[in-house]
Protein backbone atom coordinates (compact mmCIF):
# COMPACT_ATOMS: atom_id res chain seq x y z
CA UNK A 1 0.00 0.00 0.00
CA UNK A 2 1.20 3.50 -0.83
CA UNK A 3 0.70 5.22 2.55
CA UNK A 4 -0.70 8.75 2.29
CA UNK A 5 -1.16 9.42 6.01
CA UNK A 6 -0.71 7.62 9.30
CA UNK A 7 -2.79 8.37 12.39
CA UNK A 8 -1.39 7.43 15.77
CA UNK A 9 -3.18 7.04 19.08
CA UNK A 10 -2.15 5.86 22.52
CA UNK A 11 -4.35 4.21 25.12
CA UNK A 12 -3.23 4.29 28.76
CA UNK A 13 -4.82 2.96 31.92
CA UNK A 14 -6.89 -0.17 31.48
CA UNK A 15 -8.16 0.18 27.92
CA UNK A 16 -11.89 0.78 28.29
CA UNK A 17 -11.15 2.48 31.62
CA UNK A 18 -8.35 4.91 30.97
CA UNK A 19 -7.31 7.66 28.60
CA UNK A 20 -6.68 8.05 24.88
CA UNK A 21 -4.66 10.62 23.01
CA UNK A 22 -4.04 11.17 19.33
CA UNK A 23 -2.15 14.18 18.15
CA UNK A 24 -3.03 17.65 19.36
CA UNK A 25 -6.82 17.51 19.26
CA UNK A 26 -7.82 14.18 20.79
CA UNK A 27 -7.26 13.87 24.53
CA UNK A 28 -10.10 11.97 26.18
CA UNK A 29 -10.97 9.95 29.24
CA UNK A 30 -12.37 6.53 28.38
CA UNK A 31 -14.95 4.70 30.47
CA UNK A 32 -17.38 1.87 29.80
CA UNK A 33 -20.98 3.01 29.26
CA UNK A 34 -23.53 2.29 31.96
CA UNK A 35 -25.07 -0.35 29.66
CA UNK A 36 -21.83 -2.32 29.92
CA UNK A 37 -21.50 -1.90 33.69
CA UNK A 38 -19.42 1.26 33.69
CA UNK A 39 -19.88 4.77 34.96
CA UNK A 40 -20.34 6.35 31.55
CA UNK A 41 -18.01 9.14 32.72
CA UNK A 42 -16.02 9.31 29.51
CA UNK A 43 -16.14 8.36 25.88
CA UNK A 44 -15.81 4.75 24.76
CA UNK A 45 -14.35 2.94 21.76
CA UNK A 46 -17.76 2.50 20.15
CA UNK A 47 -18.42 6.26 20.22
CA UNK A 48 -15.01 6.94 18.72
CA UNK A 49 -15.61 4.35 16.00
CA UNK A 50 -19.08 5.78 15.28
CA UNK A 51 -17.66 9.31 14.98
CA UNK A 52 -14.78 8.21 12.78
CA UNK A 53 -16.94 6.10 10.49
CA UNK A 54 -19.61 8.83 10.16
CA UNK A 55 -17.02 11.49 9.29
CA UNK A 56 -15.16 9.25 6.84
CA UNK A 57 -18.38 8.12 5.13
CA UNK A 58 -19.59 11.74 4.94
CA UNK A 59 -16.35 12.70 3.21
CA UNK A 60 -16.71 9.79 0.77
CA UNK A 61 -20.30 10.88 0.09
CA UNK A 62 -19.19 14.41 -0.81
CA UNK A 63 -16.40 13.05 -3.00
CA UNK A 64 -18.80 10.80 -4.91
CA UNK A 65 -21.29 13.67 -5.31
CA UNK A 66 -18.58 16.01 -6.65
CA UNK A 67 -17.47 13.37 -9.16
CA UNK A 68 -21.07 13.07 -10.37
CA UNK A 69 -21.48 16.87 -10.36
CA UNK A 70 -24.26 16.67 -7.77
CA UNK A 71 -24.43 19.52 -5.27
CA UNK A 72 -25.34 18.43 -1.78
CA UNK A 73 -25.96 20.90 1.02
CA UNK A 74 -26.86 20.55 4.68
CA UNK A 75 -26.08 16.84 4.52
CA UNK A 76 -25.25 14.71 7.50
CA UNK A 77 -24.24 11.16 8.31
CA UNK A 78 -25.15 9.69 11.67
CA UNK A 79 -23.25 6.66 12.89
CA UNK A 80 -24.46 4.10 15.41
CA UNK A 81 -22.18 1.33 16.56
CA UNK A 82 -23.82 -1.56 18.36
CA UNK A 83 -21.88 -4.01 20.53
CA UNK A 84 -23.16 -7.36 21.71
CA UNK A 85 -22.11 -10.92 22.40
CA UNK A 86 -20.97 -13.01 19.44
CA UNK A 87 -22.14 -16.31 20.92
CA UNK A 88 -18.57 -17.57 21.27
CA UNK A 89 -17.56 -15.83 24.48
CA UNK A 90 -16.53 -12.60 22.79
CA UNK A 91 -18.21 -9.53 21.37
CA UNK A 92 -19.13 -8.26 17.94
CA UNK A 93 -20.00 -4.91 16.41
CA UNK A 94 -22.67 -3.83 13.97
CA UNK A 95 -22.97 -0.40 12.35
CA UNK A 96 -25.92 1.68 11.20
CA UNK A 97 -25.16 4.74 9.08
CA UNK A 98 -28.00 7.20 8.44
CA UNK A 99 -27.38 9.46 5.46
CA UNK A 100 -29.49 12.62 5.30
CA UNK A 101 -29.52 14.48 1.97
CA UNK A 102 -32.20 17.19 2.01
CA UNK A 103 -33.44 18.19 -1.43
CA UNK A 104 -31.94 15.16 -3.20
CA UNK A 105 -34.36 12.73 -4.85
CA UNK A 106 -34.37 9.44 -2.89
CA UNK A 107 -33.12 7.18 -5.71
CA UNK A 108 -30.18 9.50 -6.44
CA UNK A 109 -29.43 9.84 -2.72
CA UNK A 110 -29.39 6.04 -2.44
CA UNK A 111 -27.04 5.76 -5.43
CA UNK A 112 -24.66 8.30 -3.87
CA UNK A 113 -24.74 6.46 -0.54
CA UNK A 114 -24.13 3.11 -2.26
CA UNK A 115 -21.17 4.54 -4.16
CA UNK A 116 -19.78 6.14 -1.00
CA UNK A 117 -20.03 2.75 0.70
CA UNK A 118 -17.74 1.34 -2.00
CA UNK A 119 -15.02 4.00 -1.62
CA UNK A 120 -15.11 4.81 2.12
CA UNK A 121 -12.02 3.33 3.83
CA UNK A 122 -14.06 2.36 6.91
CA UNK A 123 -16.59 0.54 4.71
CA UNK A 124 -13.77 -1.25 2.91
CA UNK A 125 -12.14 -2.22 6.21
CA UNK A 126 -15.36 -3.59 7.71
CA UNK A 127 -16.85 -5.24 4.60
CA UNK A 128 -17.37 -8.93 5.27
CA UNK A 129 -16.36 -8.55 8.92
CA UNK A 130 -19.34 -6.84 10.53
CA UNK A 131 -22.87 -5.98 9.53
CA UNK A 132 -23.11 -2.43 8.16
CA UNK A 133 -26.50 -0.99 7.22
CA UNK A 134 -26.74 2.29 5.31
CA UNK A 135 -30.09 4.08 5.27
CA UNK A 136 -30.98 7.24 3.36
CA UNK A 137 -33.52 9.88 4.28
CA UNK A 138 -34.30 13.42 3.21
CA UNK A 139 -34.50 14.87 6.73
Amino acid sequence: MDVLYTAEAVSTGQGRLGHVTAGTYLDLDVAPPKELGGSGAGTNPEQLFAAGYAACFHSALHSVARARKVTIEDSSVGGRVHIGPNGQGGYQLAVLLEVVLPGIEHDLAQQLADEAHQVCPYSNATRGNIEVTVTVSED
Side-chain angles (χ1 to χ4, degrees), residues 19-36:
H19 198 83
V20 292
T21 57
T24 304
Y25 299 107
L26 185 73
D27 189 347
L28 302 168
D29 289 328
V30 181
K34 291 180 181 180
E35 296 85 347
L36 296 179

Side-chain angles (χ1 to χ4, degrees), residues 48-137:
L48 295 170
F49 188 62
Y53 202 158
C56 188
F57 195 93
H58 201 190
S59 182
L61 185 67
H62 275 270
S63 177
V64 165
R66 274 191 308 277
R68 293 188 59 178
K69 304 205 182 323
V70 175
T71 301
I72 56 177
E73 296 177 1
D74 301 319
S75 61
S76 65
V77 175
R80 291 184 183 154
V81 173
H82 307 287
I83 186 170
N86 67 2
Q88 301 170 356
Y91 295 89
Q92 64 187 7
L93 300 175
V95 174
L96 173 61
L97 297 172
E98 182 181 4
V99 176
V100 179
L101 293 171
I104 302 292
E105 191 270 326
H106 188 270
D107 287 345
L108 176 57
Q110 187 65 58
Q111 289 172 8
L112 294 172
D114 291 345
E115 289 178 36
H117 196 36
Q118 295 304 308
V119 299
C120 173
Y122 276 67
S123 293
N124 289 331
T126 59
R127 187 168 290 111
N129 297 312
I130 65 173
E131 180 181 334
V132 177
T133 303
V134 179
T135 63
V136 174
S137 64

